[in-house]
Amino acid sequence: MKTNKKVKNTAILLLHCQDQKGIVASVTDFLHKNGGNIISLREHVDQQTNHFFMRVEWELKEFSIPEEKINEYFETMLGTKLQLSWELHFSSTVPRMAIFVSKYSHCLFDVLSRYESGEWKVKIPVIISNHDKFRHIGERYNIPYHYMPLNKNNKREVEAEQYHLLKKHNVDFVVLARYMQILSEEFTKKLPNKIINIHHSSLPAFAGAKPYEGAHERGVKLIGATGHYVTPDLDAGPIIYQDVISISHNDSISDMKRKGKDIEKIVFANAIWSHFNHKIITYQNKTVIFN
Amino acid sequence: MKTNKKVKNTAILLLHCQDQKGIVASVTDFLHKNGGNIISLREHVDQQTNHFFMRVEWELKEFSIPEEKINEYFETMLGTKLQLSWELHFSSTVPRMAIFVSKYSHCLFDVLSRYESGEWKVKIPVIISNHDKFRHIGERYNIPYHYMPLNKNNKREVEAEQYHLLKKHNVDFVVLARYMQILSEEFTKKLPNKIINIHHSSLPAFAGAKPYEGAHERGVKLIGATGHYVTPDLDAGPIIYQDVISISHNDSISDMKRKGKDIEKIVFANAIWSHFNHKIITYQNKTVIFN
Amino acid sequence: MKTNKKVKNTAILLLHCQDQKGIVASVTDFLHKNGGNIISLREHVDQQTNHFFMRVEWELKEFSIPEEKINEYFETMLGTKLQLSWELHFSSTVPRMAIFVSKYSHCLFDVLSRYESGEWKVKIPVIISNHDKFRHIGERYNIPYHYMPLNKNNKREVEAEQYHLLKKHNVDFVVLARYMQILSEEFTKKLPNKIINIHHSSLPAFAGAKPYEGAHERGVKLIGATGHYVTPDLDAGPIIYQDVISISHNDSISDMKRKGKDIEKIVFANAIWSHFNHKIITYQNKTVIFN
Amino acid sequence: MKTNKKVKNTAILLLHCQDQKGIVASVTDFLHKNGGNIISLREHVDQQTNHFFMRVEWELKEFSIPEEKINEYFETMLGTKLQLSWELHFSSTVPRMAIFVSKYSHCLFDVLSRYESGEWKVKIPVIISNHDKFRHIGERYNIPYHYMPLNKNNKREVEAEQYHLLKKHNVDFVVLARYMQILSEEFTKKLPNKIINIHHSSLPAFAGAKPYEGAHERGVKLIGATGHYVTPDLDAGPIIYQDVISISHNDSISDMKRKGKDIEKIVFANAIWSHFNHKIITYQNKTVIFN
């Protein structure tokens, strides 16, 4: 294991499988023998399901297997034998992220600020909205903005068009920056663990459309936000990140909404960051996050 | 308004009513004209219900109305006119607190540590449990310990006996230090806003008996605790205090329980402290807390 | 006291004085007798200095004293007698806020996002920077952007010009959005409690230019941010708001800087919000904040 | 890698060395070939110092090297070659912890509550104090209590006696539960990374004897606590755990002390727990904590 402050090209392997003896030894031996210098290694065993998870990142500089052959070699030498599920990523690939938005700007602006400042190494090839409100924002950043209004009857065709746009722009993942529409089962199933939503409560409390109203009604002393992957079950997908802030009787619903915006945008950003840095493995509707 | 570092005798008035003009002026004028030096004053208006809340504390030293007459004078001069609901407390009265406990010790030990060290100015005249496990703890602190086992058939009579004990010991309020029995509607209705429970989740998430199991199953990234008043609706009473801590995939259910104990005891203590310092007004199943 | 959900025009009085009997009664009586409906009232007595602080907000609708006469009447009837220091503000006045910035964008972008979305009811008449880097941002928002480079010799004249600009634009207060220049004693003394800085540590730890480097060197497990008023003593002015986040050995200095940006912008925004909503009284280098 | 819910006997290896290729592969290969089933593995590379850290825990059940030989075998096969510093621990060994205390009870009571309830698997063979105040607590728990008063002249001999007691009781580590005496350089050097202190501020802010007074004077909005190893430099040893809570102008010094007690005892407990569960590696006055 040898590190360098200006690491340029690394490979990241996310794997999981039934727990068994010798997995770490096998994988690290495979990397070591082929000249791979491990930058970081994290593993986890879920003791209830007896399932094993691992994230390993190594430098490609002196790695003897060419990038395009790693998948094949890994499959042949380890994948089949250990019955692994895995994903391989390269740090040199810039992920392509689509934004869906409706009428609230705070998450949209926060995401775009991180993009504009270079804090996030992503490309944003497309913004999709059911409102025309932020067209000028798309123009400001030179990002194609598609206004796709929805009504009772056109959801199926609009979603088909949305999916077509995502494919056309080679989108790797989608972030719902307070997109106030429920995606169909059909749509979400085509993009498993590829759609990140920000829900404005600490799930599972107050799922659904009006969490701040629910929180005010119940008289809670904390409000929160949850970044999660979208699945066909509304607000029930794997949770990536959560945080809360304290409130008091003194906070009206509008105070809660104002304060909530800050926690929403920070939680949303954390969830997205973990995703495009390949820190997350999803299994049985839960996440393992190697931050 | 005039304060003194070693305030000894103060009166505390907690009041609420339909909002109307001039309440603060009327109350402060009443206190001022009778020589009462206000130590602290907090008010709140709930804009949804248009309801007014106030806590005011003043020194009794130069107050011209005798302690035992304050209620009568206040009623005559302000209470009826302004249609106030109010409570009057005196700082010189040491509250009498009963503890109910089952088999977990962390909240019990924490409460007793605060009592033993003098951090809390309360008397603990009685401990009641459905297990005999902590009899030696009662003996250690010289507090009568009543082992009152419950089964399917004896709840009504046991609760009657418990209530009798509370009356006999002049108990002002009850704290459920992880008491794993559901109190009957009859019992809770006799002690409104006088029973404080610690629930081991951030309510309304994971109400019921096994919140950590539920949290683990859902894969949440935060676990919490809620201190609340007990009402006939299980885990649905007015929330006094809540807090959370972060967890990760790395935390098993037993890790969550271990970490949860710390947050439970701190939240429980905060809720109890606010209660016996007369900081809380309850209205429509919510709390206004003037900390 | 009578509230209305759509309160339009209110007056806010921030006052402090040596503690004395009857202040609250006098002030509320003054407002009540002139038809002022109190929206909120908060008071505080510092028991060490025996100093009294109060914030009261009331509706102007039925208040019989005209806005431009309130100061005079209040002075005549209460101010002199009680030897009060006070400020009067009107909710209808939109505060004018200047931004100073250097090369980091996260606080700048966050402030402008709140401005653009209408979350903050402020005007931003001018942006001043010692770098030309964000000229296009000024243009984007149609805000005059003044590039005013500093060197060893020109500080006095540049600051004179900056002060002139602030006067010309009727600026009410200044926010330093990671402005990496030390303001002179002369400049800061002209704007007491009118300049808000964000310092990227939990002061007093790691004052000075490189707090994250200091935090990493010391091996702390928390990093923080502090929003404070600027005084002639570097990083020693009255603290308005602070928060922290947990870090671990796993966080390099660059990770700390990345994570720190989020806490910086939230803390900065909270401090600014409290200021322009007239929640803050400053006394003896400390703040009383009636949030 | 194979786990079991009721893991009984495991070995834990904490190691660090100059970073080099193949360490993880070498260590996991060594364990795997000798039948060791890895329960958990965590590694870290400090990119500034280019130093490597690792914690690995494995089951002893089918491990072919006898417990008492593991050190020798590991030294021979890996330690010398890779120039490792390491410690080996066994989960079956119950650590022996001495408590030093002065006049505050909250940390003492909290530690003893965890001990009494079985939450912590430790032995407490001795309590040492410079006051006689808690003698009855020692008696309550059947723990020898040594009252060893200190004055200007007897520090050297008292510390010699204290050290003698620690040796006599085979103490593994010492916890200073608000022990209000400064340990000499000589004493601390004999117990490196074996003495855990709780400091009642978020170090490095407010080191020294009166942190709450300092925090109040400075007008901070957060107070904290720091669990750290004791070194000859006062309050400057490696930090293990820190946390903070929010305070306001409303909190007097005595409020801060009251609230501070809760954060102190939780931070203290977290630091101690990480230590006796062998989660900590110390290097260059900083900690790597594999929680």
Side-chain angles (χ1 to χ4, degrees), chain C residues 184-234:
Chain C
S184 73
E185 179 169 349
E186 195 188 344
F187 187 85
T188 57
K189 279 192 169 168
K190 281 192 279 193
L191 295 160
N193 300 325
K194 299 291 179 205
I195 309 173
I196 295 170
N197 185 45
I198 179 69
H199 183 75
H200 41 315
S201 85
S202 187
L203 289 172
F206 309 116
K210 293 194 167 288
Y212 292 126
E213 284 78 358
H216 191 263
E217 170 69 21
R218 180 64 186 91
V220 295
K221 303 298 186 186
L222 297 172
I223 54 170
T226 304
H228 65 96
Y229 286 122
V230 176
T231 60
D233 292 329
L234 183 64

Side-chain angles (χ1 to χ4, degrees), chain B residues 245-262:
Chain B
I245 47 168
S246 292
I247 55 160
S248 78
H249 62 268
N250 209 33
D251 290 297
S252 65
I253 292 176
S254 70
D255 290 322
M256 288 164 66
K257 286 180 180 176
R258 178 177 55 79
K259 293 184 176 182
K261 283 177 183 171
D262 281 359

Side-chain angles (χ1 to χ4, degrees), chain A residues 216-274:
Chain A
H216 191 264
E217 170 70 21
R218 181 63 185 91
V220 295
K221 302 299 185 186
L222 297 171
I223 53 170
T226 304
H228 65 96
Y229 286 121
V230 175
T231 60
D233 292 329
L234 183 64
D235 298 333
I239 293 171
I240 305 171
Y241 193 73
Q242 299 187 291
D243 204 357
V244 296
I245 46 169
S246 291
I247 56 161
S248 77
H249 62 268
N250 209 32
D251 290 297
S252 64
I253 292 176
S254 70
D255 290 321
M256 288 164 65
K257 287 181 178 174
R258 178 178 55 79
K259 293 183 176 183
K261 283 177 183 172
D262 282 359
I263 198 93
E264 287 169 37
K265 68 192 192 190
I266 300 299
V267 166
F268 192 43
N270 270 288
I272 297 170
W273 189 90
S274 294

Side-chain angles (χ1 to χ4, degrees), chain C residues 3 20 27-28 30 32 123-124 160 202 213 223 226 238 277 291:
Chain C
T3 60
Q20 53 199 294
V27 174
T28 56
F30 170 80
H32 183 48
K123 278 181 196 143
I124 304 178
S202 187
E213 284 78 358
I223 54 170
T226 304
N277 282 287
N291 270 347

Side-chain angles (χ1 to χ4, degrees), chain C residues 16 46 49 51 53 192-193 203-204 226-240 280-289, chain D residues 214-221 249:
Chain C
H16 64 99
D46 185 291
T49 57
H51 207 78
F53 303 85
N193 300 325
L203 289 172
T226 304
H228 65 96
Y229 286 122
V230 176
T231 60
D233 292 329
L234 183 64
D235 297 334
I239 293 170
I240 304 169
I280 309 175
I281 301 176
T282 302
Y283 180 68
Q284 291 190 345
N285 209 46
K286 298 204 277 189
T287 59
V288 170
I289 300 183
Chain D
H216 191 263
E217 168 71 21
R218 180 63 186 91
V220 295
K221 302 299 185 186
H249 62 269

